[in-house]
Amino acid sequence: MLLSVASAETQTVKLPACGAEIRKTSVSGLSSGAFMTSQLYVAFSEIMVGAGIVAGGPYLCAKSWAGNSLLVNATTTCMHPLTAGSGPNTPRLARYAATLAEYGQIAPLKNLEDDRIYIFSGTRDEIVTTTVVNQTREFFKAVGVPEASIRYDRSIAAGHAFLTDDDTDTACALTRSPYINDCDFSQAGAILEQIYPGLKPPARHRDDSLIAFDQEEFIDSPYTSMDDTAYAYVPTACRNGKSCPVHVVFHGCRQGSHFIGDQYYARTGYNRLAEANDLIMLYPQVRPSSASPLNPDGCWDFWGYSSPDSPTPDYFTRNAPQLRAIHKMIARLAEPRS
């Protein structure tokens, strides 16, 4: 039986040092988690080998149009623009990224040239439309990722959701909570196979490999909206001496454990693949916040809510509050075992 949220919370531990192979790290996510994926991936590309973006726009998307606020860009340009011309301003975003890299605020863009990217847009997705996701591919091409290294799938009539082959999940074409849809397709498998080619078939997960850990330890800002507890899946071999890559998985809005329990971190297919292929899964968590910061849907920050007192909020560089915390978690996993 899977570890329940209730039991996980009562067994919260310190995130262990596992001697992980940090320079084979990768990341994926849905919706706000897809935007967060691009931010973590680009900011810390020196440790990354690939990324999986499901229903998300390009890095820096909320900075597309200087005449709009970050929030307006995030909720229109980066989700459902009226026309392609009012969608993400990819040439501007690529130039901005190059400037950030030049000044050391993100890792050098040349790190991306030998990586592998998975991108997905469902044809029934009306939350983050294909018009937006198209520009995610264009952005990565513009900053040096070869087109042959990008797998872009627009072939499935899926709603706004992460896709599985589990017939107990929501029907494929719908968009509704928990935003995990049965499309007879393992999206976790497609993402991980693109990033780490030649994977073994899924294995039976182990209950004792799924842990709840103290996420608060890694947070040094009062405005991140990050939860006290997060989750990780550490396969048997990775606990017993093997140096394993880390794959970070970001949930979308209204998908953290506060909203849907263990459905995203335990039931989307990642952990069975992790057990078979010796990959550590890291599942950071955001919770809703109705005050400061204002984040009622528990989204990852891709427009600046985590810097509420700044006229120029930083949510996209190596020093951004959420990104800083996640990088600390990866670094902990990579520390030598005690």
Side-chain angles (χ1 to χ4, degrees):
M1 185 175 179
L2 290 174
L3 192 66
S4 70
V5 175
S7 62
E9 290 177 347
T10 59
Q11 298 174 19
T12 300
V13 299
K14 186 182 179 76
L15 184 66
C18 297
E21 196 170 2
I22 193 168
R23 292 196 174 270
K24 288 188 178 180
T25 301
S26 60
V27 55
S28 64
L30 166 69
S31 194
S32 74
F35 286 97
M36 187 67 172
T37 289
S38 289
Q39 291 167 185
L40 183 72
Y41 172 63
V42 174
F44 294 102
S45 61
E46 76 277 11
I47 65 170
M48 297 286 176
V49 295
I53 293 121
V54 181
Y59 176 62
L60 299 171
C61 188
K63 288 186 170 289
S64 287
W65 305 105
N68 295 337
S69 70
L70 295 172
L71 180 58
V72 167
N73 276 330
T75 55
T76 58
T77 295
C78 302
M79 296 179 70
H80 43 75
L82 294 177
T83 66
S86 61
N89 186 347
T90 301
R92 182 174 193 266
L93 304 181
R95 291 193 299 270
Y96 199 140
T99 300
L100 291 172
E102 180 182 353
Y103 285 92
Q105 293 180 282
I106 61 174
L109 294 176
K110 66 181 180 181
N111 293 335
L112 309 179
E113 294 175 358
D114 59 353
D115 290 355
R116 296 171 62 85
I117 309 293
Y118 172 95
I119 303 170
F120 178 85
S121 179
T123 64
R124 300 289 294 273
D125 189 339
E126 297 180 357
I127 303 297
V128 179
T129 63
T130 299
T131 295
V132 173
V133 184
N134 286 344
Q135 294 308 308
T136 304
R137 178 178 62 178
E138 295 309 307
F139 174 85
F140 282 123
K141 288 166 57 179
V143 296
V145 180
E147 188 167 9
S149 298
I150 301 172
R151 178 185 173 188
Y152 183 18
D153 188 348
R154 294 173 288 184
S155 66
I156 300 175
H160 188 70
F162 192 85
L163 311 187
T164 74
D165 54 4
D166 185 340
D167 61 12
T168 66
D169 287 329
T170 302
C172 188
L174 300 181
T175 295
R176 70 183 188 199
S177 183
Y179 310 104
I180 300 171
N181 288 10
D182 171 29
C183 295
D184 297 323
F185 171 67
S186 172
Q187 195 151 60
I191 291 168
L192 294 177
E193 177 62 32
Q194 173 65 8
I195 297 170
Y196 304 105
L199 292 184
K200 298 174 184 176
R204 188 175 184 276
H205 71 269
R206 292 176 56 98
D207 292 348
D208 60 356
S209 293
L210 183 60
I211 62 171
F213 69 88
D214 176 14
Q215 183 174 250
E216 191 176 16
E217 173 189 358
F218 302 95
I219 301 168
D220 58 19
S221 164
Y223 303 117
T224 64
S225 197
M226 293 174 70
D227 213 338
D228 295 342
T229 301
Y231 305 89
Y233 187 90
V234 185
T236 307
C238 309
R239 288 183 283 125
N240 292 336
K242 184 171 184 178
S243 183
C244 301
V246 176
H247 184 75
V248 183
V249 183
F250 290 118
H251 62 74
C253 300
R254 302 186 67 83
Q255 275 195 317
S257 59
H258 177 90
F259 289 103
I260 65 169
D262 68 356
Q263 290 185 76
Y264 204 83
Y265 68 80
R267 306 184 192 182
T268 45
Y270 281 106
N271 297 342
R272 294 180 62 213
L273 286 156
E275 187 66 39
N277 294 281
D278 301 335
L279 300 170
I280 297 171
M281 295 291 138
L282 177 65
Y283 298 97
Q285 298 288 305
V286 166
R287 62 187 174 196
S289 173
S290 58
S292 183
L294 183 61
N295 182 30
D297 290 331
C299 303
W300 290 99
D301 185 12
F302 65 100
W303 66 90
Y305 73 68
S306 60
S307 302
D309 298 328
S310 173
T312 56
D314 180 5
Y315 55 92
F316 50 85
T317 77
R318 297 163 76 90
N319 197 45
Q322 290 181 348
L323 297 180
R324 211 163 56 224
I326 305 302
H327 186 261
K328 289 179 186 177
M329 296 178 209
I330 299 168
R332 166 67 59 75
L333 289 167
E335 289 176 4
R337 295 172 181 83
S338 57

